[in-house]
Every structure is written in structure tokens, then in C-alpha cells.
Amino acid sequence: MVACAGALGVVPPPADAAFPCANAGLVPNGRNGAAVDAATLCLIDRIRARHALHGLRANHQLHAVADSQVASMLRWNYFADIRPSGQTPLALVAVTPYRGHTSGISVGQDIAWASGGAGTPAHIVAEWMASPPHRAIILTAAYRDAGVAVKPALPSVLRRGRRGAVYAFEFGVRR
């Protein structure tokens, strides 16, 4: 399953005082990537918990795929789950050590972009939850692992200038 989102103008959900996610309101810049990534994973985990689903473990290989996806969209000037070379999210993850000694893997990917200051983790996660395909991926009970990456720039194909952010969130499970 893969899905993508653009800036939908969705208002982020109110902060949950019982389980706050630090840095959920950060606008990505060249210095706060790790904090933005962690806030995005925290928000997804908080939503999953509200739906009686287990949290996701941060996974280095899935993070590397997410980072590569975002960098690829910026470098090759596109916005899509499948790369211009035809590589799918599953193909990208399958060639990493993530597969390990398992019989197989399942993956999902959500991507998003927002211009200006709307690229906060809270805004992006709210967009994903307002979109049925993204929401379905987030609420897939089978996923166990995750990797998230964000870059503070936009592909020019979006015609929104360079100010903004592009996100990729990789979901995975080993069988």
C-alpha cells in the first residue's frame, strides 16, 4: 500500500495532554530533522494507540529508505511513491538488510508535502489521517516497524517555491 498527500489545509488535532509529542509543531529546517522525525513517529504511535494498535519500532533500514525517497523526489523533481526509474517502495526495502532471514516482508509508504510553515509533523499527520488511503496505512495492525524522513524543501514540479517540507514514512513488517 502506498499513498501520497499534498497540502490539504487540514487543521492539526489538539495536543493530547496525557501523551504529548515533543516538537510536533516544529517547522522543518536543515538542523532539526531528527526532532521532526521523532515527533512524526510519536504522533503516528499516539494515533495507533487510540485505535488499540501497538506502537511502531524505529528501524534504521526503513529510515534510510524514507530518507532516500525524499532525497530522490527533490533531486529528480517529482512527487510520487514510485520513482521515475520504476522502483516501488517494496523494491527499495527488499534490497536492504530489513528483509534479513525472514520468509517475506510487507511495506507501506505515506508521503506528503506542505508549503511554507504548514510542514509541521502535526499538520502532516493530520493530513494523512484526513485521507482515507493514508489513514488505512497508518491503521494497518500488521505493521511493526517504521522509518520517517523529512527534508525542508519542495520539488519545483509542485510550483510552490522551495519553502516547505517533503515527508516519507515507511511502514514494515517481517513475516
Side-chain angles (χ1 to χ4, degrees):
M1 297 180 88
V2 293
C4 59
L8 300 174
V10 175
V11 177
D16 184 337
F19 301 104
C21 290
N23 302 313
L26 277 180
V27 174
N29 62 41
R31 300 172 308 279
N32 64 4
V36 171
D37 293 352
T40 306
L41 179 57
C42 175
L43 289 166
I44 295 293
D45 277 347
R46 188 169 69 189
I47 289 165
R48 289 174 62 88
R50 286 185 194 141
H51 288 86
L53 301 172
H54 57 79
L56 301 169
R57 294 179 299 246
N59 179 276
H60 178 71
Q61 288 90 21
L62 294 178
H63 169 78
V65 170
D67 193 57
S68 171
Q69 180 66 18
V70 171
S72 172
M73 288 188 285
L74 292 171
R75 181 175 50 253
W76 294 346
N77 192 27
Y78 72 99
F79 182 78
D81 294 300
I82 298 174
R83 293 188 180 183
S85 61
Q87 292 173 294
T88 65
L90 179 59
L92 295 169
V93 175
V95 298
T96 71
Y98 182 74
R99 183 165 184 166
H101 300 287
T102 63
S103 62
I105 59 173
S106 293
V107 301
Q109 179 185 73
D110 280 346
I111 61 174
W113 66 271
S115 59
T120 66
H123 185 85
I124 294 298
V125 172
E127 287 182 2
W128 283 334
M129 289 303 292
S131 163
H134 295 92
R135 181 183 179 90
I137 293 171
I138 291 168
L139 298 179
T140 298
Y143 292 132
R144 300 277 183 235
D145 304 307
V148 60
V150 61
K151 300 280 187 213
L154 296 173
S156 61
V157 70
L158 297 174
R159 301 187 198 291
R160 302 287 183 180
R162 297 285 299 159
R163 285 206 47 211
V166 175
Y167 282 70
F169 199 108
E170 306 296 329
F171 298 81
V173 62
R174 302 172 218 207
R175 294 179 262 138

